[in-house]
Amino acid sequence: MSFLVWRLYRAQAVIGLALLAAFSALLLATGFSMASQWHSALATCTTDGGCGNLSNTLFLGSHAVGFLVIMTLGVPVVIGVLCGAPLVAHEFETGTRDFSWTQSITRRRWLLVKAGWLLLAAAALAGVVSGLVTWWSGPDNALQADAFGPGRFDIMGIVPVAYTLFAMALGIAAGLLLRRTVPAIGLTLAMYLAVRLLIDQWIRPHYMSAVMHLYGLTQNWVPSGAVWQLGSGVVNPSGHVLPMQNGADIGPNVSVSTVPSVCASGASQAQNNQGGVLTCMQKLGYRQFVSYQPASRYWAFQGIEFGIFVALAVGLLAVTYVVITRRDA
Amino acid sequence: MSVLVWRLYRGQAAIAVLVLAAFAAVLVVTGLSMASQWHTLLLGCTANSSCADLAATVSLGGSVAGHDIVLLSLAAPAAFGMLVGAPLLAHEFEVRTTDFAWSQSVTRMRWLLVKVGWTVLAAAVWGGVIASLVTWWSGPRNALLQNAFQPTTFDQQGLVPIGYAVFATMLGIAAGALLRRTLPAIAVTLGGFIGLRLLIANAVRPHYLGTVTAYFSPKLSTFTPPGSAWVISQGLVGKNGQVIQVGAGTQMINGVPIGSLSASCQRLVSARLTLNGVARGHVAGPSHAVLSCLQSSGVRGFATYQPASRYWPFQGIETGIYVALALVLLAVTYVVVTRRDA
């Protein structure tokens, strides 16, 4: 059975390996030059003490390769669409399942061996791509301190492997549900994007409760390291966040309309006496805040996100298994 | 024949309309709130005349979800090409419905042209509706950030999404005619579309019309061309017009790299820098000798850009290129389908 899977998929395997080889060659070539550029920049800035503003002056890598690296966001869904969705759907569509299911091999074994090898191959492909991207981005992550941000978090570390397993499982399940390849591809695409967006936007920020740092209205404070900043602004003494009304600011995060009447006899006067107004508000208990996920939680978040998507994949595969083994041929 | 096409595709049409309706709902809701936010801002900054630095202080995202969905519209042409274009002929070949279709009284040419014609028209409508929604939604952001000409913003507004959608669909149809299997045709459509889009956006688009170069005093470290121009490159040039590489450790004086001065000037400047106790960076008010040194070095800042007024010509050229490519693919498909044996 394993041999059959290899015979069926050897062409796809060759194409996949060729694409992977081209991608690795490009990333290795540009990655080494970028790393040496980074090391020489570090050496120079250490001698003249200019490392602080390095991220404003230095640009690492090239725009084209950087764009290609961002596009690896699409690798899981492409694997799910081209490899997962047809896995069952195409067998139904062309009627080959009538043949497969009447052989000496049980339906259960047919599904497990076929899906098992393809899931393994997909995970390996995604793992290699993610490994390359993580290595390549090392200097850039150190320079920009943005590895935790949305869009960067999603292409590095272990989460791309989980996304790929999920996309494959989604494709297989959609194929079983719809029994036709093209609709299964459409459904896989739509569901993958919907689930990823949903988790990205509304669930990931809350894996652990964010750290809230309060500081004075006239101070400046930035969290250190590659943090994921979720929000910033001003809270009033009772702890409510003041609405941000841009346009007429009298200091960072404070707009004229939110100044309490005790501190300003009139909005126009407030603008001419910014320092006084801010000190007055500070005394009343107003504070600036930054809420963020600290850099130390990066791997915990990677682990949680990995777990969620693997769990979703396992759930979908379990449904597929039950439906295929129980239904009549 | 047109009725047949409708009967075959009414399911897909219903799904496409539903997707468009959901997309429109998100964009209209977030777009209206963004537009009202923008008008309040404009009123506020006009009152205290701070409109110039609005871009630095204000972020105008609508909602994050709205922004992400607008970015996703970049993939809408490819999705149409993969899901509607690629199976159009490939699936007929795969399940051999061509044997039936081609033995009817309708000629093969008419069969092909009516099918392809309606599909391409639908693709253009798909691209056009999405593009007009995104263009309307982005209005305030474009005004604030002046970024309508930048890559990725340019690619999702105006006319070009129609060209992309028509091209992606024809690419899918042609790939299906040549490969005669759905899945490989889908993969080729995806790869071909992304590859060509990247190639044209990065290597060809900057050269549709000759660029404009502005030179300015190196002291002005930031020069921005007026309006929503597309800055293609900027930096410093020496006396003979050669570009000076400025790296992280380059020592500068008033925006001029010290290494590009003459030897005597370099001695003068470094003497002055150590005198002031400044290791690197700008010196406030250089003496006349240093000033004349800086002038004689001939170093100037430059910015090469496409002016904002060329936005619509560029949109027209890019759309024209993709429509022309689609016509070539149509010709290929026509020859492949009408010439081969049934």
Side-chain angles (χ1 to χ4, degrees):
Chain A
M1 186 63 209
S2 296
F3 182 67
L4 173 70
V5 172
W6 165 246
R7 292 287 297 236
L8 284 171
Y9 282 93
R10 57 192 168 177
Q12 282 95 320
V14 169
I15 294 173
L17 280 178
L19 286 175
L20 188 63
F23 182 71
S24 321
L26 188 66
L27 253 62
L28 286 175
T30 55
F32 279 118
S33 86
M34 193 161 80
S36 76
Q37 193 192 349
W38 169 240
H39 285 299
S40 64
L42 268 192
T44 343
C45 82
T46 321
T47 54
D48 64 10
C51 289
N53 55 16
L54 207 56
S55 62
N56 294 325
T57 55
L58 184 64
F59 176 76
L60 285 173
S62 76
H63 284 291
V65 180
F67 192 71
L68 191 70
V69 162
I70 291 171
M71 289 214 349
T72 61
L73 262 180
V75 166
V77 69
V78 168
I79 294 176
V81 157
L82 294 182
C83 186
L87 193 127
V88 175
H90 195 71
E91 301 253 6
F92 275 98
E93 204 167 43
T94 53
T96 40
R97 112 211 120 121
D98 294 347
F99 179 75
S100 310
W101 290 3
T102 48
Q103 306 299 307
S104 61
I105 288 170
T106 62
R107 217 185 283 183
R108 199 180 79 134
R109 179 132 177 265
W110 172 84
L111 176 69
L112 289 184
V113 174
K114 203 171 165 188
W117 277 117
L118 290 175
L119 283 167
L120 193 68
L125 183 64
V128 173
V129 169
S130 168
L132 281 165
V133 167
T134 310
W135 168 78
W136 187 90
S137 309
D140 209 42
N141 288 345
L143 178 68
Q144 309 285 354
D146 64 351
F148 212 150
R152 312 288 298 163
F153 182 88
D154 312 46
I155 55 174
M156 288 180 236
I158 55 176
V159 291
V161 176
Y163 296 156
T164 305
L165 290 174
F166 169 67
M168 280 289 290
L170 193 60
I172 296 173
L176 180 67
L177 178 74
L178 297 171
R179 303 214 208 157
R180 284 171 58 204
T181 309
V182 175
I185 288 176
L187 187 64
T188 308
L189 203 62
M191 289 303 294
Y192 178 83
L193 289 177
V195 171
R196 283 273 282 109
L197 261 181
L198 181 81
I199 291 189
D200 237 47
Q201 301 288 336
W202 287 289
I203 302 182
R204 193 192 296 160
H206 308 294
Y207 287 165
M208 293 182 185
S209 50
V211 175
M212 181 112 157
H213 179 85
L214 294 171
Y215 57 105
L217 288 179
T218 50
Q219 287 169 306
N220 225 339
W221 187 83
V222 184
S224 65
V227 303
W228 179 19
Q229 187 168 325
L230 299 173
S232 64
V234 170
V235 288
N236 66 13
S238 50
H240 293 290
V241 176
L242 293 191
M244 293 282 279
Q245 272 150 348
N246 296 299
D249 291 344
I250 59 154
N253 302 325
V254 185
S255 53
V256 170
S257 51
T258 56
V259 172
S261 49
V262 193
C263 293
S265 45
S268 52
Q269 248 180 311
Q271 276 191 288
N272 300 326
N273 184 18
Q274 298 189 353
V277 172
L278 290 180
T279 321
C280 168
M281 289 174 73
Q282 169 88 18
K283 278 195 193 125
L284 287 177
Y286 285 82
R287 294 286 180 274
Q288 293 192 79
F289 76 93
V290 172
S291 69
Y292 65 100
Q293 299 288 357
S296 58
R297 292 184 185 169
Y298 180 79
W299 284 108
F301 270 59
Q302 284 264 336
I304 294 170
E305 180 122 346
F306 183 88
I308 289 176
F309 277 92
V310 168
L312 288 173
V314 169
L316 285 167
L317 289 171
V319 171
T320 309
Y321 176 82
V322 169
V323 171
I324 286 204
T325 48
R326 294 256 171 106
R327 59 167 292 160
D328 299 330
Chain B
M1 187 64 211
S2 296
V3 176
L4 174 69
V5 171
W6 167 245
R7 294 284 297 239
L8 284 171
Y9 282 94
R10 58 192 167 175
Q12 281 96 317
I15 293 172
V17 169
L18 279 179
V19 171
L20 280 183
F23 182 75
V26 174
L27 257 64
V28 167
V29 169
T30 58
L32 285 177
S33 88
M34 194 158 76
S36 80
Q37 192 192 350
W38 171 239
H39 287 298
T40 332
L41 281 174
L42 275 188
L43 285 179
C45 78
T46 321
N48 62 6
S49 61
S50 63
C51 289
D53 54 19
L54 210 54
T57 56
V58 168
S59 72
L60 201 61
S63 72
V64 183
H67 184 244
D68 277 6
I69 286 172
V70 163
L71 260 185
L72 269 180
S73 76
L74 279 174
F80 199 93
M82 284 164 65
L83 296 178
V84 181
L88 188 105
L89 295 177
H91 193 71
E92 299 250 9
F93 284 123
E94 211 165 39
V95 297
R96 312 219 51 152
T97 40
T98 45
D99 294 352
F100 178 73
W102 291 359
S103 51
Q104 307 299 306
S105 61
V106 172
T107 63
R108 214 188 285 184
M109 183 184 97
R110 178 131 178 268
W111 174 85
L112 177 71
L113 290 185
V114 173
K115 230 176 135 157
V116 169
W118 282 114
T119 309
V120 168
L121 189 69
V125 171
W126 167 260
V129 170
I130 291 176
S132 29
L133 281 166
V134 170
T135 310
W136 168 78
W137 186 91
S138 310
R141 280 175 66 87
N142 290 346
L144 177 69
L145 303 169
Q146 307 264 297
N147 66 349
F149 214 150
Q150 302 303 315
T152 71
T153 323
F154 182 89
D155 306 27
Q156 57 197 21
Q157 298 179 17
L159 285 177
V160 290
I162 301 176
Y164 300 156
V166 167
F167 166 74
T169 306
M170 265 329 296
L171 182 63
I173 294 172
L178 288 167
L179 297 170
R180 308 173 82 206
R181 285 174 58 206
T182 308
L183 209 59
I186 289 177
V188 166
T189 308
L190 181 66
F193 181 77
I194 293 179
L196 194 83
R197 282 272 283 105
L198 281 182
L199 181 76
I200 290 189
N202 285 305
V204 184
R205 191 191 296 159
H207 310 293
Y208 287 164
L209 298 172
T211 51
V212 175
T213 303
Y215 293 97
F216 49 91
S217 154
K219 257 177 106 172
L220 294 170
S221 54
T222 53
F223 164 84
T224 3
S228 309
W230 178 22
V231 177
I232 288 160
S233 66
Q234 52 191 338
L236 294 174
V237 286
K239 195 183 288 177
N240 307 321
Q242 80 283 12
V243 176
I244 302 171
Q245 296 295 333
V246 179
T250 314
Q251 295 232 321
M252 309 277 271
I253 174 164
N254 283 36
V256 176
I258 292 175
S260 63
L261 301 176
S262 66
S264 58
C265 280
Q266 283 195 27
R267 277 196 298 281
L268 183 70
V269 167
S270 47
R272 224 184 119 73
L273 282 174
T274 36
L275 191 73
N276 290 4
V278 185
R280 67 194 283 274
H282 299 257
V283 180
S287 72
H288 289 297
V290 173
L291 267 184
S292 66
C293 269
L294 293 181
Q295 265 160 15
S296 66
S297 76
V299 172
R300 292 175 300 169
F302 78 94
T304 302
Y305 64 97
Q306 297 287 357
S309 59
R310 291 185 184 169
Y311 179 79
W312 284 107
F314 268 58
Q315 284 268 338
I317 294 169
E318 180 127 343
T319 311
I321 289 175
Y322 279 94
V323 170
L325 288 170
L327 285 174
V328 171
L329 288 168
L330 177 65
V332 170
T333 309
Y334 180 80
V335 170
V336 169
V337 170
T338 50
R339 292 262 169 98
R340 59 166 292 162
D341 297 331

Coordinates of all heavy atoms in Angstrom, one line a residue, chain B residues 283-339:
Chain B
V283 N 27.2 68.4 12.8 CA 27.9 69.5 13.5 C 27.0 70.7 13.3 O 26.7 71.0 12.2 CB 29.3 69.7 13.0 CG1 30.0 70.8 13.8 CG2 30.1 68.4 13.0
A284 N 26.7 71.3 14.4 CA 25.9 72.5 14.3 C 26.7 73.7 13.8 O 27.8 74.0 14.4 CB 25.3 72.9 15.7
G285 N 26.3 74.3 12.7 CA 26.9 75.5 12.2 C 28.4 75.3 11.9 O 29.2 75.8 12.6
P286 N 28.7 74.6 10.8 CA 30.2 74.4 10.5 C 30.8 75.7 10.1 O 30.1 76.7 9.6 CB 30.1 73.5 9.3 CG 28.7 73.1 9.1 CD 27.9 74.0 9.8
S287 N 32.1 75.8 10.2 CA 32.8 77.1 9.8 C 32.8 77.2 8.3 O 32.4 76.3 7.6 CB 34.2 77.0 10.3 OG 34.9 76.1 9.5
H288 N 33.2 78.4 7.9 CA 33.1 78.7 6.4 C 34.0 77.7 5.7 O 33.6 77.3 4.6 CB 33.6 80.1 6.2 CG 32.6 81.1 6.6 ND1 31.3 81.2 6.1 CD2 32.6 82.0 7.6 CE1 30.6 82.1 6.7 NE2 31.4 82.7 7.7
A289 N 35.2 77.3 6.3 CA 36.0 76.4 5.6 C 35.3 75.0 5.3 O 35.4 74.5 4.2 CB 37.3 76.2 6.4
V290 N 34.7 74.6 6.4 CA 34.0 73.3 6.3 C 32.8 73.4 5.3 O 32.6 72.5 4.4 CB 33.5 72.8 7.6 CG1 32.6 71.6 7.5 CG2 34.6 72.5 8.6
L291 N 32.1 74.5 5.3 CA 31.0 74.7 4.4 C 31.5 74.7 3.0 O 30.8 74.0 2.1 CB 30.3 76.1 4.7 CG 29.1 76.0 5.6 CD1 28.5 77.4 5.7 CD2 28.1 75.0 5.2
S292 N 32.6 75.4 2.7 CA 33.1 75.4 1.3 C 33.5 74.0 0.9 O 33.4 73.6 -0.3 CB 34.2 76.4 1.1 OG 35.3 76.0 1.8
C293 N 34.1 73.3 1.9 CA 34.5 71.9 1.6 C 33.3 71.1 1.2 O 33.3 70.3 0.2 CB 35.0 71.2 2.9 SG 36.8 71.4 3.1
L294 N 32.2 71.2 1.9 CA 30.9 70.5 1.6 C 30.4 70.8 0.2 O 30.0 70.0 -0.5 CB 29.9 70.7 2.7 CG 30.2 70.2 4.1 CD1 29.0 70.6 5.0 CD2 30.4 68.7 4.1
Q295 N 30.5 72.1 -0.1 CA 30.0 72.5 -1.4 C 30.9 72.0 -2.5 O 30.4 71.5 -3.5 CB 30.0 74.1 -1.5 CG 28.6 74.6 -1.1 CD 28.6 76.1 -0.8 OE1 29.6 76.8 -1.0 NE2 27.6 76.5 -0.1
S296 N 32.2 72.0 -2.3 CA 33.1 71.6 -3.4 C 33.0 70.1 -3.6 O 33.4 69.6 -4.6 CB 34.5 72.0 -3.1 OG 35.0 71.3 -2.0
S297 N 32.6 69.3 -2.5 CA 32.5 67.9 -2.7 C 31.4 67.5 -3.7 O 31.5 66.5 -4.4 CB 32.1 67.2 -1.4 OG 30.7 67.4 -1.1
G298 N 30.5 68.4 -3.9 CA 29.4 68.2 -5.0 C 28.5 67.1 -4.6 O 27.7 66.6 -5.5
V299 N 28.4 66.7 -3.4 CA 27.5 65.6 -3.0 C 26.1 66.2 -2.9 O 25.8 67.2 -2.4 CB 27.9 65.0 -1.7 CG1 26.8 64.0 -1.2 CG2 29.2 64.3 -1.8
R300 N 25.2 65.5 -3.6 CA 23.8 65.9 -3.6 C 22.9 64.7 -3.2 O 23.2 63.5 -3.5 CB 23.4 66.4 -5.0 CG 24.0 67.7 -5.3 CD 23.6 68.1 -6.7 NE 24.1 67.1 -7.7 CZ 23.7 67.1 -9.0 NH1 22.8 68.0 -9.4 NH2 24.1 66.1 -9.8
G301 N 21.8 65.0 -2.6 CA 20.8 63.9 -2.4 C 20.0 63.8 -3.7 O 19.8 64.7 -4.5
F302 N 19.4 62.6 -4.0 CA 18.6 62.4 -5.1 C 17.4 61.5 -4.8 O 17.4 60.7 -3.9 CB 19.3 61.8 -6.3 CG 19.6 60.3 -6.2 CD1 18.7 59.4 -6.8 CD2 20.6 59.8 -5.5 CE1 18.9 58.1 -6.7 CE2 20.9 58.5 -5.4 CZ 20.0 57.6 -6.0
A303 N 16.3 61.7 -5.5 CA 15.1 60.9 -5.4 C 14.6 60.6 -6.8 O 14.4 61.5 -7.5 CB 14.1 61.5 -4.6
T304 N 14.6 59.3 -7.2 CA 14.1 58.9 -8.5 C 12.6 58.5 -8.3 O 12.4 57.6 -7.4 CB 14.9 57.8 -9.1 OG1 16.2 58.2 -9.2 CG2 14.4 57.4 -10.5
Y305 N 11.7 59.0 -9.0 CA 10.3 58.7 -8.7 C 9.4 58.8 -10.0 O 9.8 59.4 -11.0 CB 9.8 59.6 -7.6 CG 9.7 61.1 -8.0 CD1 8.5 61.7 -8.4 CD2 10.8 61.9 -7.8 CE1 8.4 63.0 -8.7 CE2 10.8 63.2 -8.1 CZ 9.6 63.8 -8.6 OH 9.5 65.1 -8.9
Q306 N 8.2 58.3 -9.9 CA 7.2 58.5 -10.9 C 6.2 59.4 -10.2 O 5.6 59.2 -9.2 CB 6.5 57.1 -11.2 CG 7.4 56.1 -11.8 CD 7.7 56.3 -13.2 OE1 7.3 57.3 -13.8 NE2 8.6 55.5 -13.8
P307 N 6.0 60.6 -10.9 CA 5.1 61.6 -10.3 C 3.6 61.1 -10.2 O 3.2 60.2 -10.9 CB 5.1 62.7 -11.3 CG 6.2 62.5 -12.2 CD 6.5 61.0 -12.2
A308 N 2.9 61.7 -9.2 CA 1.6 61.3 -8.9 C 0.6 61.4 -10.1 O -0.3 60.6 -10.2 CB 1.0 62.1 -7.7
S309 N 0.9 62.3 -11.0 CA 0.0 62.5 -12.1 C 0.1 61.3 -13.1 O -0.8 61.2 -14.0 CB 0.5 63.8 -12.9 OG 1.8 63.6 -13.3
R310 N 1.0 60.4 -12.9 CA 1.1 59.3 -13.8 C 0.3 58.1 -13.3 O 0.4 57.0 -13.9 CB 2.6 58.9 -14.0 CG 3.3 59.9 -14.8 CD 4.7 59.4 -15.1 NE 5.5 60.4 -15.7 CZ 6.8 60.3 -15.9 NH1 7.5 59.3 -15.5 NH2 7.5 61.3 -16.5
Y311 N -0.4 58.3 -12.2 CA -1.1 57.1 -11.7 C -2.0 56.5 -12.7 O -2.0 55.3 -12.9 CB -1.9 57.6 -10.4 CG -2.7 56.5 -9.8 CD1 -2.1 55.6 -8.9 CD2 -4.1 56.3 -10.0 CE1 -2.8 54.6 -8.3 CE2 -4.8 55.3 -9.4 CZ -4.2 54.4 -8.6 OH -4.9 53.4 -8.0
W312 N -2.9 57.3 -13.3 CA -3.9 56.7 -14.2 C -3.2 56.1 -15.5 O -3.6 55.1 -16.0 CB -5.1 57.6 -14.5 CG -6.0 57.6 -13.3 CD1 -6.1 58.6 -12.4 CD2 -6.8 56.5 -12.8 NE1 -7.0 58.2 -11.4 CE2 -7.4 56.9 -11.6 CE3 -7.0 55.2 -13.3 CZ2 -8.3 56.1 -10.9 CZ3 -7.9 54.4 -12.6 CH2 -8.5 54.8 -11.4
P313 N -2.2 56.9 -16.1 CA -1.5 56.2 -17.2 C -0.9 54.9 -16.8 O -1.0 53.9 -17.6 CB -0.4 57.2 -17.6 CG -1.0 58.5 -17.1 CD -1.9 58.3 -16.0
F314 N -0.4 54.8 -15.6 CA 0.2 53.5 -15.2 C -0.9 52.4 -15.1 O -0.7 51.3 -15.4 CB 1.0 53.7 -13.9 CG 2.5 54.0 -14.1 CD1 2.8 55.1 -14.8 CD2 3.4 53.1 -13.6 CE1 4.2 55.4 -15.1 CE2 4.8 53.4 -13.8 CZ 5.2 54.5 -14.6
Q315 N -2.0 52.8 -14.5 CA -3.1 51.9 -14.3 C -3.5 51.4 -15.7 O -3.8 50.2 -15.9 CB -4.3 52.5 -13.7 CG -4.1 52.7 -12.2 CD -4.7 51.5 -11.4 OE1 -5.6 50.8 -11.9 NE2 -4.2 51.3 -10.2
G316 N -3.6 52.3 -16.7 CA -4.0 52.0 -18.0 C -3.0 51.0 -18.7 O -3.4 50.0 -19.3
I317 N -1.7 51.3 -18.6 CA -0.7 50.5 -19.2 C -0.7 49.1 -18.6 O -0.7 48.1 -19.3 CB 0.7 51.1 -19.0 CG1 0.8 52.5 -19.8 CG2 1.8 50.2 -19.5 CD1 2.0 53.3 -19.4
E318 N -0.8 49.0 -17.3 CA -0.8 47.7 -16.7 C -2.0 46.9 -17.1 O -1.9 45.7 -17.4 CB -0.7 47.8 -15.1 CG -0.6 46.5 -14.4 CD 0.5 46.3 -13.5 OE1 1.5 47.1 -13.6 OE2 0.5 45.4 -12.6
T319 N -3.2 47.5 -17.0 CA -4.4 46.8 -17.5 C -4.2 46.3 -18.9 O -4.6 45.2 -19.2 CB -5.6 47.7 -17.3 OG1 -5.6 48.3 -16.0 CG2 -6.9 46.9 -17.5
G320 N -3.7 47.2 -19.8 CA -3.5 46.9 -21.2 C -2.6 45.7 -21.3 O -2.9 44.8 -22.1
I321 N -1.5 45.6 -20.6 CA -0.6 44.5 -20.7 C -1.3 43.2 -20.3 O -1.2 42.2 -21.1 CB 0.6 44.7 -19.7 CG1 1.5 45.8 -20.3 CG2 1.4 43.4 -19.5 CD1 2.6 46.2 -19.4
Y322 N -2.1 43.2 -19.2 CA -2.7 41.9 -18.8 C -3.8 41.5 -19.8 O -4.0 40.3 -20.1 CB -3.2 42.0 -17.4 CG -2.1 41.8 -16.4 CD1 -1.4 42.9 -15.9 CD2 -1.7 40.5 -16.1 CE1 -0.3 42.7 -15.0 CE2 -0.7 40.3 -15.2 CZ 0.0 41.4 -14.7 OH 1.0 41.1 -13.8
V323 N -4.6 42.5 -20.3 CA -5.6 42.2 -21.3 C -5.0 41.6 -22.6 O -5.5 40.6 -23.2 CB -6.5 43.4 -21.6 CG1 -7.4 43.1 -22.7 CG2 -7.3 43.7 -20.3
A324 N -3.8 42.2 -23.0 CA -3.1 41.7 -24.2 C -2.7 40.3 -24.0 O -2.8 39.4 -24.8 CB -2.0 42.6 -24.5
L325 N -2.1 40.0 -22.8 CA -1.7 38.6 -22.5 C -2.9 37.7 -22.5 O -2.7 36.5 -23.0 CB -1.0 38.6 -21.1 CG 0.4 39.2 -21.0 CD1 0.8 39.3 -19.6 CD2 1.4 38.4 -21.8
A326 N -4.0 38.1 -22.0 CA -5.2 37.3 -22.0 C -5.6 37.0 -23.4 O -6.0 35.9 -23.7 CB -6.3 38.0 -21.2
L327 N -5.5 38.0 -24.3 CA -5.9 37.7 -25.7 C -5.0 36.7 -26.4 O -5.4 35.8 -27.1 CB -5.8 39.1 -26.5 CG -7.0 40.0 -26.2 CD1 -6.8 41.3 -27.0 CD2 -8.3 39.4 -26.7
V328 N -3.6 36.8 -26.0 CA -2.7 35.8 -26.6 C -3.1 34.4 -26.1 O -3.2 33.4 -26.9 CB -1.3 36.1 -26.1 CG1 -0.3 35.0 -26.5 CG2 -0.8 37.4 -26.7
L329 N -3.5 34.3 -24.8 CA -3.9 33.0 -24.3 C -5.2 32.5 -24.9 O -5.3 31.3 -25.1 CB -4.0 33.1 -22.7 CG -2.8 33.2 -22.0 CD1 -3.0 33.6 -20.5 CD2 -2.0 31.9 -22.0
L330 N -6.1 33.4 -25.2 CA -7.3 33.1 -25.9 C -7.0 32.5 -27.3 O -7.6 31.5 -27.7 CB -8.2 34.3 -26.0 CG -9.5 34.1 -26.8 CD1 -10.4 33.1 -26.0 CD2 -10.3 35.4 -27.0
A331 N -6.1 33.1 -28.0 CA -5.7 32.6 -29.3 C -5.1 31.2 -29.2 O -5.4 30.3 -30.0 CB -4.7 33.6 -29.9
V332 N -4.2 31.0 -28.2 CA -3.6 29.7 -28.0 C -4.7 28.6 -27.7 O -4.8 27.6 -28.3 CB -2.6 29.7 -26.8 CG1 -2.2 28.3 -26.4 CG2 -1.4 30.6 -27.2
T333 N -5.6 29.0 -26.8 CA -6.7 28.1 -26.5 C -7.6 27.7 -27.7 O -7.9 26.6 -28.0 CB -7.6 28.7 -25.4 OG1 -6.8 29.2 -24.4 CG2 -8.7 27.8 -24.9
Y334 N -7.9 28.8 -28.5 CA -8.7 28.6 -29.7 C -8.0 27.6 -30.6 O -8.7 26.7 -31.1 CB -8.9 30.0 -30.4 CG -9.7 29.9 -31.6 CD1 -11.1 29.8 -31.5 CD2 -9.1 29.9 -32.9 CE1 -11.9 29.8 -32.7 CE2 -9.9 29.8 -34.0 CZ -11.3 29.7 -33.9 OH -12.0 29.6 -35.0
V335 N -6.7 27.8 -30.9 CA -6.0 26.9 -31.8 C -6.0 25.5 -31.3 O -6.3 24.5 -32.0 CB -4.6 27.5 -32.0 CG1 -3.8 26.4 -32.8 CG2 -4.6 28.8 -32.8
V336 N -5.7 25.4 -30.0 CA -5.6 24.0 -29.4 C -6.9 23.3 -29.5 O -7.0 22.1 -29.8 CB -5.1 24.1 -27.9 CG1 -5.3 22.8 -27.2 CG2 -3.7 24.6 -27.8
V337 N -8.0 24.0 -29.1 CA -9.3 23.3 -29.1 C -9.9 23.0 -30.5 O -10.4 22.0 -30.7 CB -10.3 24.2 -28.2 CG1 -11.7 23.6 -28.4 CG2 -9.9 24.2 -26.8
T338 N -9.7 24.0 -31.4 CA -10.4 23.8 -32.7 C -9.5 22.8 -33.6 O -10.1 22.2 -34.5 CB -10.6 25.1 -33.5 OG1 -9.4 25.8 -33.4 CG2 -11.7 25.9 -32.8
R339 N -8.2 22.8 -33.4 CA -7.4 21.9 -34.2 C -7.3 20.5 -33.8 O -7.0 19.6 -34.7 CB -6.0 22.5 -34.3 CG -5.8 23.8 -34.9 CD -5.4 23.7 -36.4 NE -5.5 24.9 -37.1 CZ -4.5 25.8 -37.3 NH1 -3.3 25.4 -36.8 NH2 -4.6 26.9 -37.9

